[in-house]
Amino acid sequence: DSGVTQTPKHLITATGQRVTLRCSPRSGDLSVYWYQQSLDQGLQFLIQYYNGEERAKGNILERFSAQQFPDLHSELNLSSLELGDSALYFCASSGGAISWNEQFFGPGTRLTVL
Amino acid sequence: ELKVEQNPLFLSMQEGKNYTIYCNYSTTSDRLYWYRQDPGKSLESLFVLLSNGAVKQEGRLMASLDTKARLSTLHITAAVHDLSATYFCAVTGYGGATNKLIFGTGTLLAVQP
């Protein structure tokens, strides 16, 4: 158990809908990362927050947004969902934001868009 | 742009055999990680490699790093069925303000009895 929690574990929804994925980092970790894992795109970095501020952005669609709250939990919002958004979404956390801070991954949320 | 290539994509091995997974990356990186993923599960950290010539071993797995060649290898010795999983390498950028991970494509390892 990495100490990173994600809810829900599974989510099934329809095209055009909006969902919110939630992540609670390890106690004391200030940085949160979101990654998407799909069959066609592999594992790719979406976005990073550090202590409430956006730190880095990857291949995140405009339909997706994220935020980190004062209690350091993070939410990833996915809107106008398409079939291709079906994927496993991982959250990770680390103590800091720069290269020597190892990330610890949560169990993931499996999103299925029908 | 930092890119990571991993090969092979799929590896079918017999128990007791040895093999190596290769991970190449395109630009200088601060750190290289190896992860294991079981089907539908999260990523389990196996190794963190920091410097040129670094070698780490855990059980039947040994990872090494050659920063000059921008190459890491994950060597499997005397494979057993329990090692069947997907293995990913991932790198961070160099000296940047973020430690986002760039992942390789993954190697699906199937160890046959």
Side-chain angles (χ1 to χ4, degrees):
Chain A
D1 185 353
S2 67
V4 179
T5 60
Q6 289 186 249
T7 56
K9 280 190 172 181
H10 303 277
L11 202 44
I12 301 174
T13 188
T15 55
Q17 295 299 304
R18 173 189 168 94
V19 297
T20 297
L21 312 183
R22 183 188 168 104
C23 168
S24 292
R26 294 185 320 156
S27 178
D29 281 359
L30 299 177
S31 239
V32 169
Y33 313 77
W34 287 97
Y35 294 86
Q36 179 195 58
Q37 185 176 29
S38 62
L39 284 175
D40 52 345
Q41 299 289 333
L43 254 169
Q44 58 175 353
F45 167 75
L46 295 179
I47 197 163
Q48 176 193 0
Y49 278 82
Y50 176 74
N51 204 19
E53 300 286 330
E54 183 184 303
R55 190 67 176 245
K57 220 168 187 176
N59 298 325
I60 186 166
L61 299 171
E62 283 191 14
R63 300 182 286 108
F64 295 3
S65 65
Q67 54 184 327
Q68 187 180 26
F69 295 85
D71 67 353
L72 301 177
H73 91 272
S74 177
E75 293 181 355
L76 179 66
N77 300 295
L78 315 177
S79 61
S80 303
L81 285 167
E82 302 176 359
L83 296 177
D85 297 327
S86 295
L88 194 49
Y89 290 85
F90 288 110
C91 167
S93 74
S94 69
I98 48 181
S99 61
W100 53 81
N101 297 119
E102 185 175 358
Q103 296 176 36
F104 297 87
F105 283 80
T109 293
R110 180 167 294 282
L111 173 65
T112 303
V113 182
L114 301 174
Chain B
E1 183 188 348
L2 181 54
K3 292 187 178 178
V4 182
E5 290 185 354
Q6 202 175 324
N7 65 83
L9 293 182
F10 177 70
L11 181 53
S12 180
M13 298 177 63
Q14 280 191 312
E15 280 192 327
K17 298 290 187 184
N18 304 333
Y19 210 81
T20 301
I21 299 171
Y22 297 88
C23 174
N24 285 93
Y25 52 99
S26 59
T27 65
T28 305
S29 170
D30 276 340
R31 295 196 157 191
L32 188 138
Y33 295 83
W34 283 96
Y35 290 93
R36 168 182 170 142
Q37 185 181 36
D38 291 300
K41 302 294 185 182
S42 187
L43 297 164
E44 175 191 352
S45 178
L46 297 173
F47 301 108
V48 181
L49 302 170
L50 306 180
S51 58
N52 190 42
V55 177
K56 290 194 174 180
Q57 182 160 7
E58 180 74 34
R60 300 174 188 273
L61 301 177
M62 183 174 71
S64 65
L65 178 62
D66 180 343
T67 57
K68 292 179 183 176
R70 296 182 189 146
L71 170 69
S72 179
T73 60
L74 181 66
H75 187 74
I76 302 149
T77 302
V80 293
H81 181 70
D82 283 353
L83 290 179
S84 297
T86 300
Y87 293 84
F88 291 93
C89 65
V91 298
T92 60
Y94 178 73
T98 172
N99 58 335
K100 66 182 183 185
L101 291 171
I102 307 300
F103 283 88
T105 49
T107 296
L108 175 57
L109 174 65
V111 180
Q112 314 294 340

